Structure formats: structure tokens, C-alpha cells
Amino acid sequence: KTPQAMGVGAEKMASSLVDAVKPRCGDAKAVADFKDLMVQALPDGCKKNTELCFATGGGKLGLSVNGKSRGSVASKPLCKAFCGVYTDKNAVCKLADVEDA
């Protein structure tokens, strides 16, 4: 889950994620579909404190906005690319290692 620290337009939010995913994904149609999903899911933009949740299970990249499912794009390469944005050697923002409790 990613609560927004500041407001941003839907097109800008979608474009930033697509810019990070696109070089990692060979499925251009899925990348375009993901951008369309983001823009449609945020008709009023991504206001401050909007919570975005992304899920990559089952070979689909799903999007929920403020707890409400907004759709998904079926593409294993897209899911892998999205995860790579945060986990590969060129990650835009490394996630902290998770330790078992």
C-alpha cells in the first residue's frame, strides 16, 4: 500500500510508474493497458492521502484505490517488471529486507 504524501494528476502518476516499468517489460500492450487502468482508476487524480495498493498474484497486476479494486492487467512480464522497479539492481527505491518474526 502506498498512501500519497501529496496530490498529483492521474496522467502524471500513471506516466511515472509506466516510465519505471517500460524498460523492464517486453509486453508493450500490457504496459499501455496498465497506464490506461491507472488513469481510469484515478478520475480526480491522486489526491493527498489516496492509498494505492498493487498486487501481482496470479500473473495479474491489480490496482486498488482506497481499498476498492479498480481492475487488473493480466501479464506475467508486467508483474515481474513492476516488482523489479523496487527489487532489481536498478530499483528506483530499494525495499527493506523483510525478516521472519
Side-chain angles (χ1 to χ4, degrees):
K1 295 179 184 179
T2 309
Q4 290 303 115
M6 59 184 241
V8 66
E11 184 68 33
K12 187 171 186 173
M13 171 60 77
S15 291
S16 0
L17 284 170
V18 164
D19 287 348
V21 169
K22 194 173 188 176
R24 294 170 168 86
C25 184
D27 188 345
K29 181 182 181 330
V31 172
D33 289 348
F34 176 60
K35 183 175 183 179
D36 290 344
L37 173 63
M38 288 281 304
V39 171
Q40 291 172 11
L42 299 165
D44 299 319
C46 195
K47 297 177 181 173
K48 184 176 180 177
N49 294 321
T50 297
E51 187 177 86
L52 302 180
C53 183
F54 300 93
T56 57
K60 294 180 182 178
L61 179 54
L63 170 63
S64 295
V65 179
N66 293 328
K68 183 178 178 186
S69 176
R70 304 299 293 167
S72 63
V73 177
S75 169
K76 287 182 182 179
L78 179 64
C79 292
K80 183 177 179 183
F82 186 85
C83 290
V85 169
Y86 300 98
T87 61
D88 69 17
K89 66 179 179 168
N90 297 317
V92 295
C93 177
K94 282 281 189 189
L95 296 177
D97 291 334
V98 176
E99 295 181 22
D100 291 330

